[in-house]
Amino acid sequence: MTKAGLFLTFEGIDGSGKSTQARILADRLRAQGHEVVLTREPGGSPGAEEIRSLVLEGDPERWSAETEILLFTAARRDHLERTIEPALAAGKVVICDRFADSTRMYQGLSRGDLRSLVDQLHSLMIGREPDMTLLIDMDPETGLSRAKGRQGTEERFEDFGPELQTKMRAGFLALADEFSGRFRIVDGNRDMDSVARNVTEVVQAALR
Ligand code: ADP
Ligand code: TYD
Protein backbone atom coordinates (compact mmCIF):
# COMPACT_ATOMS: atom_id res chain seq x y z
CA MET A 1 0.00 0.00 0.00
CA THR A 2 1.19 3.53 -0.72
CA LYS A 3 1.74 6.06 2.05
CA ALA A 4 -1.40 7.91 0.93
CA GLY A 5 -3.72 5.59 2.86
CA LEU A 6 -7.13 4.37 1.71
CA PHE A 7 -10.45 6.00 2.54
CA LEU A 8 -13.38 3.56 2.54
CA THR A 9 -16.99 4.38 3.42
CA PHE A 10 -20.09 2.29 4.02
CA GLU A 11 -23.47 3.67 2.99
CA GLY A 12 -27.02 2.38 2.88
CA ILE A 13 -30.39 2.68 4.56
CA ASP A 14 -30.84 2.29 8.32
CA GLY A 15 -30.47 -1.33 9.41
CA SER A 16 -28.69 -2.46 6.22
CA GLY A 17 -25.72 -3.83 8.16
CA LYS A 18 -23.16 -1.04 7.67
CA SER A 19 -21.84 -0.98 11.24
CA THR A 20 -21.62 -4.78 11.35
CA GLN A 21 -19.74 -4.98 8.05
CA ALA A 22 -17.44 -2.06 8.88
CA ARG A 23 -16.41 -3.83 12.10
CA ILE A 24 -15.80 -7.19 10.38
CA LEU A 25 -13.77 -5.55 7.61
CA ALA A 26 -11.65 -3.63 10.13
CA ASP A 27 -10.87 -6.87 12.00
CA ARG A 28 -9.91 -8.69 8.80
CA LEU A 29 -7.64 -5.93 7.52
CA ARG A 30 -5.94 -5.61 10.93
CA ALA A 31 -5.34 -9.36 10.93
CA GLN A 32 -3.53 -8.88 7.60
CA GLY A 33 -1.30 -6.26 9.19
CA HIS A 34 -2.96 -3.06 7.98
CA GLU A 35 -3.28 -0.11 10.30
CA VAL A 36 -7.00 0.64 10.39
CA VAL A 37 -9.03 3.51 11.81
CA LEU A 38 -12.68 2.52 12.20
CA THR A 39 -14.90 5.56 12.56
CA ARG A 40 -18.44 6.81 11.96
CA GLU A 41 -20.62 9.78 11.12
CA PRO A 42 -22.14 11.82 12.51
CA GLY A 43 -19.24 11.73 14.98
CA GLY A 44 -15.76 10.27 14.86
CA SER A 45 -13.98 13.08 16.75
CA PRO A 46 -14.79 14.55 20.18
CA GLY A 47 -16.39 17.72 18.76
CA ALA A 48 -18.32 15.84 16.09
CA GLU A 49 -19.63 13.35 18.70
CA GLU A 50 -21.07 16.34 20.59
CA ILE A 51 -22.79 17.51 17.42
CA ARG A 52 -24.05 13.92 16.96
CA SER A 53 -26.15 14.26 20.13
CA LEU A 54 -27.55 17.56 18.85
CA VAL A 55 -28.68 16.09 15.53
CA LEU A 56 -29.82 12.62 16.61
CA GLU A 57 -31.52 13.31 19.96
CA GLY A 58 -34.57 15.32 20.93
CA ASP A 59 -37.62 16.63 19.11
CA PRO A 60 -37.81 15.67 15.41
CA GLU A 61 -38.72 19.33 14.70
CA ARG A 62 -35.73 20.65 16.64
CA TRP A 63 -33.85 21.94 13.56
CA SER A 64 -34.90 23.35 10.23
CA ALA A 65 -33.71 21.36 7.21
CA GLU A 66 -31.10 24.04 6.42
CA THR A 67 -29.72 24.19 9.99
CA GLU A 68 -29.48 20.42 9.99
CA ILE A 69 -27.32 20.49 6.84
CA LEU A 70 -25.00 22.98 8.54
CA LEU A 71 -24.72 20.82 11.66
CA PHE A 72 -23.93 17.61 9.75
CA THR A 73 -21.38 19.51 7.65
CA ALA A 74 -19.78 21.12 10.73
CA ALA A 75 -19.45 17.68 12.33
CA ARG A 76 -17.90 16.29 9.12
CA ARG A 77 -15.38 19.13 8.86
CA ASP A 78 -14.18 18.48 12.43
CA HIS A 79 -14.03 14.72 11.83
CA LEU A 80 -12.06 15.25 8.62
CA GLU A 81 -9.54 17.64 10.21
CA ARG A 82 -8.97 15.73 13.42
CA THR A 83 -9.43 12.07 12.56
CA ILE A 84 -9.63 11.21 8.86
CA GLU A 85 -6.94 13.37 7.26
CA PRO A 86 -4.23 12.68 9.88
CA ALA A 87 -4.86 8.92 9.56
CA LEU A 88 -4.71 8.99 5.75
CA ALA A 89 -1.54 11.09 5.85
CA ALA A 90 0.01 8.40 8.07
CA GLY A 91 -0.84 5.77 5.43
CA LYS A 92 -3.68 4.09 7.36
CA VAL A 93 -6.88 2.57 6.07
CA VAL A 94 -9.85 4.65 7.23
CA ILE A 95 -13.18 2.83 7.35
CA CYS A 96 -16.06 5.22 7.93
CA ASP A 97 -19.66 4.20 8.67
CA ARG A 98 -21.54 6.85 6.60
CA PHE A 99 -20.09 10.04 5.10
CA ALA A 100 -21.19 12.83 2.73
CA ASP A 101 -23.40 10.51 0.62
CA SER A 102 -25.68 10.18 3.67
CA THR A 103 -26.14 13.97 3.75
CA ARG A 104 -26.84 13.95 -0.01
CA MET A 105 -29.59 11.41 0.70
CA TYR A 106 -31.08 12.27 4.08
CA GLN A 107 -30.78 16.06 4.08
CA GLY A 108 -30.83 16.35 0.28
CA LEU A 109 -33.98 14.28 -0.32
CA SER A 110 -36.06 13.69 2.79
CA ARG A 111 -37.27 17.22 3.58
CA GLY A 112 -37.66 18.65 0.10
CA ASP A 113 -35.17 18.92 -2.72
CA LEU A 114 -32.09 20.39 -1.03
CA ARG A 115 -29.47 18.37 -2.90
CA SER A 116 -27.91 21.41 -4.56
CA LEU A 117 -27.51 23.18 -1.21
CA VAL A 118 -25.86 20.05 0.23
CA ASP A 119 -23.50 19.85 -2.76
CA GLN A 120 -22.54 23.52 -2.58
CA LEU A 121 -21.72 23.32 1.11
CA HIS A 122 -19.81 20.08 0.54
CA SER A 123 -17.59 21.62 -2.12
CA LEU A 124 -16.97 24.72 0.03
CA MET A 125 -16.24 23.00 3.32
CA ILE A 126 -15.37 19.32 2.73
CA GLY A 127 -14.16 19.00 -0.84
CA ARG A 128 -13.20 15.36 -0.81
CA GLU A 129 -14.79 12.01 -1.58
CA PRO A 130 -13.86 8.53 -0.36
CA ASP A 131 -11.58 6.34 -2.50
CA MET A 132 -14.26 3.67 -2.40
CA THR A 133 -17.85 3.53 -1.14
CA LEU A 134 -19.53 0.23 -0.34
CA LEU A 135 -23.28 0.56 -0.71
CA ILE A 136 -25.06 -2.19 1.21
CA ASP A 137 -28.25 -2.51 -0.78
CA MET A 138 -31.14 -3.90 1.20
CA ASP A 139 -34.85 -4.55 1.11
CA PRO A 140 -36.38 -1.50 2.91
CA GLU A 141 -38.82 -3.48 5.09
CA THR A 142 -36.09 -5.80 6.39
CA GLY A 143 -33.80 -2.84 7.06
CA LEU A 144 -36.53 -1.05 8.97
CA SER A 145 -37.33 -4.03 11.16
CA ARG A 146 -33.63 -4.56 11.93
CA ALA A 147 -33.17 -0.88 12.79
CA LYS A 148 -36.26 -0.80 15.00
CA GLY A 149 -34.93 -3.77 16.95
CA ARG A 150 -32.35 -1.43 18.50
CA GLN A 151 -33.20 0.56 21.61
CA GLY A 152 -31.72 3.97 22.35
CA THR A 153 -32.03 7.72 22.63
CA GLU A 154 -30.98 8.53 19.04
CA GLU A 155 -34.53 8.73 17.80
CA ARG A 156 -34.85 11.87 15.68
CA PHE A 157 -34.69 9.86 12.44
CA GLU A 158 -36.13 6.58 13.68
CA ASP A 159 -39.70 7.46 12.73
CA PHE A 160 -38.84 7.01 9.08
CA GLY A 161 -41.56 4.81 7.70
CA PRO A 162 -41.28 2.23 4.91
CA GLU A 163 -42.00 4.90 2.27
CA LEU A 164 -38.99 7.00 3.16
CA GLN A 165 -36.77 3.89 3.47
CA THR A 166 -37.89 2.91 -0.06
CA LYS A 167 -37.12 6.41 -1.36
CA MET A 168 -33.70 6.37 0.32
CA ARG A 169 -32.85 2.98 -1.13
CA ALA A 170 -33.68 4.19 -4.65
CA GLY A 171 -31.73 7.39 -3.94
CA PHE A 172 -28.62 5.48 -2.89
CA LEU A 173 -28.79 3.32 -6.03
CA ALA A 174 -29.06 6.48 -8.17
CA LEU A 175 -26.07 7.94 -6.31
CA ALA A 176 -24.08 4.76 -7.05
CA ASP A 177 -24.83 5.37 -10.70
CA GLU A 178 -23.87 9.04 -10.47
CA PHE A 179 -20.53 8.25 -8.78
CA SER A 180 -19.97 4.89 -10.47
CA GLY A 181 -16.17 5.24 -10.29
CA ARG A 182 -16.02 4.87 -6.53
CA PHE A 183 -19.25 3.02 -5.63
CA ARG A 184 -19.49 -0.77 -5.27
CA ILE A 185 -22.92 -2.27 -4.59
CA VAL A 186 -23.08 -5.19 -2.17
CA ASP A 187 -26.27 -7.24 -1.77
CA GLY A 188 -27.15 -6.99 1.95
CA ASN A 189 -30.08 -9.43 1.82
CA ARG A 190 -27.87 -12.36 2.82
CA ASP A 191 -26.39 -13.75 6.02
CA MET A 192 -23.63 -11.71 7.64
CA ASP A 193 -20.80 -14.04 6.57
CA SER A 194 -21.77 -14.01 2.89
CA VAL A 195 -22.00 -10.22 2.89
CA ALA A 196 -18.64 -9.98 4.70
CA ARG A 197 -16.96 -12.30 2.16
CA ASN A 198 -18.24 -10.12 -0.67
CA VAL A 199 -17.04 -6.92 1.07
CA THR A 200 -13.58 -8.40 1.69
CA GLU A 201 -13.21 -9.45 -1.98
CA VAL A 202 -14.11 -5.99 -3.23
CA VAL A 203 -11.74 -4.22 -0.82
CA GLN A 204 -8.85 -6.65 -1.44
CA ALA A 205 -9.08 -5.79 -5.12
CA ALA A 206 -8.71 -2.09 -4.23
CA LEU A 207 -5.75 -2.74 -1.92
CA ARG A 208 -3.87 -4.65 -4.62
P1 ADP B 1 -26.65 -0.28 10.16
O1 ADP B 1 -25.35 0.16 10.75
O2 ADP B 1 -26.64 -0.27 8.66
O3 ADP B 1 -27.84 0.45 10.70
P2 ADP B 1 -26.24 -2.69 11.73
O4 ADP B 1 -24.93 -3.24 11.31
O5 ADP B 1 -26.31 -1.93 13.02
O6 ADP B 1 -26.86 -1.80 10.55
O7 ADP B 1 -27.29 -3.90 11.76
C1 ADP B 1 -28.63 -3.72 12.21
C2 ADP B 1 -29.08 -5.00 12.95
O8 ADP B 1 -29.15 -6.09 12.03
C3 ADP B 1 -28.09 -5.45 14.04
O9 ADP B 1 -28.83 -5.97 15.10
C4 ADP B 1 -27.26 -6.53 13.36
O10 ADP B 1 -26.78 -7.47 14.29
C5 ADP B 1 -28.25 -7.15 12.39
N1 ADP B 1 -27.61 -7.61 11.12
C6 ADP B 1 -26.59 -7.02 10.46
N2 ADP B 1 -26.29 -7.71 9.32
C7 ADP B 1 -27.17 -8.74 9.26
C8 ADP B 1 -27.38 -9.81 8.31
N3 ADP B 1 -26.65 -9.94 7.18
N4 ADP B 1 -28.37 -10.69 8.57
C9 ADP B 1 -29.14 -10.54 9.70
N5 ADP B 1 -28.99 -9.58 10.62
C10 ADP B 1 -28.02 -8.68 10.41
P1 TYD C 1 -26.36 5.81 12.05
O1 TYD C 1 -25.87 5.85 13.45
O2 TYD C 1 -25.43 5.32 11.00
O3 TYD C 1 -27.72 5.00 12.04
P2 TYD C 1 -28.06 3.57 11.45
O4 TYD C 1 -27.13 2.61 12.15
O5 TYD C 1 -29.49 3.42 11.85
O6 TYD C 1 -27.87 3.57 9.98
O7 TYD C 1 -26.87 7.24 11.62
C1 TYD C 1 -27.85 7.86 12.37
C2 TYD C 1 -28.83 8.60 11.52
O8 TYD C 1 -28.22 9.78 11.01
C3 TYD C 1 -29.35 7.82 10.32
O9 TYD C 1 -30.77 7.79 10.42
C4 TYD C 1 -28.95 8.65 9.14
C5 TYD C 1 -28.69 10.01 9.72
N1 TYD C 1 -27.69 10.81 8.98
C6 TYD C 1 -28.14 11.93 8.27
O10 TYD C 1 -29.33 12.23 8.25
N2 TYD C 1 -27.22 12.70 7.60
C7 TYD C 1 -25.89 12.42 7.60
O11 TYD C 1 -25.09 13.15 6.97
C8 TYD C 1 -25.44 11.27 8.35
C9 TYD C 1 -23.97 10.94 8.38
C10 TYD C 1 -26.38 10.50 9.02
Side-chain angles (χ1 to χ4, degrees):
M1 201 175 64
T2 64
K3 198 66 189 156
L6 187 71
F7 183 20
L8 304 172
T9 59
F10 279 89
E11 296 284 359
I13 58 176
D14 290 337
S16 55
K18 297 177 300 298
S19 317
T20 306
Q21 293 302 326
R23 210 175 324 113
I24 297 173
L25 178 65
D27 289 345
R28 291 192 177 173
L29 294 181
R30 281 179 187 134
Q32 292 173 4
H34 294 282
E35 278 198 89
V36 176
V37 172
L38 176 60
T39 186
R40 67 160 180 191
E41 289 208 348
S45 62
E49 288 289 332
E50 287 193 41
I51 300 175
R52 180 182 177 100
S53 322
L54 295 177
V55 287
L56 297 188
E57 294 176 22
D59 188 336
E61 302 305 317
R62 187 175 188 183
W63 309 110
S64 73
E66 288 78 8
T67 308
E68 197 173 281
I69 294 172
L70 289 166
L71 287 168
F72 276 105
T73 308
R76 179 160 308 125
R77 174 77 196 204
D78 191 66
H79 184 208
L80 199 62
E81 286 175 4
R82 316 248 173 170
T83 306
I84 299 174
E85 281 175 344
L88 292 174
K92 296 177 187 175
V93 178
V94 174
I95 301 174
C96 190
D97 184 352
R98 293 193 183 280
F99 191 66
D101 295 316
S102 282
T103 317
R104 292 185 173 105
M105 287 299 100
Y106 289 87
Q107 282 64 48
L109 284 188
S110 68
R111 298 164 83 184
D113 184 9
L114 296 175
R115 173 70 194 277
S116 118
L117 198 61
V118 170
D119 283 339
Q120 288 177 60
L121 201 58
H122 179 81
S123 68
L124 262 179
M125 283 303 176
I126 308 298
R128 83 165 289 156
E129 303 295 345
D131 296 311
M132 181 187 277
T133 299
L134 293 124
L135 171 59
I136 312 218
D137 181 49
M138 166 101 244
D139 165 58
E141 298 274 354
T142 314
L144 202 59
S145 68
R146 283 191 198 166
K148 286 203 189 288
R150 286 176 307 207
Q151 300 279 319
T153 52
E154 294 180 342
E155 291 172 338
R156 272 192 74 232
F157 294 95
E158 297 277 307
D159 292 340
F160 281 175
E163 259 172 49
L164 196 54
Q165 281 271 100
T166 302
K167 188 172 172 183
M168 290 295 137
R169 183 209 195 168
F172 273 120
L173 288 170
L175 210 55
D177 207 31
E178 184 179 338
F179 295 103
S180 57
R182 69 176 162 89
F183 263 87
R184 299 290 180 277
I185 301 172
V186 173
D187 177 7
N189 301 289
R190 296 175 289 174
D191 63 88
M192 266 178 222
D193 286 346
S194 307
V195 180
R197 228 174 294 126
N198 194 173
V199 166
T200 308
E201 277 165 17
V202 168
V203 173
Q204 291 298 353
L207 282 167
R208 257 183 250 123

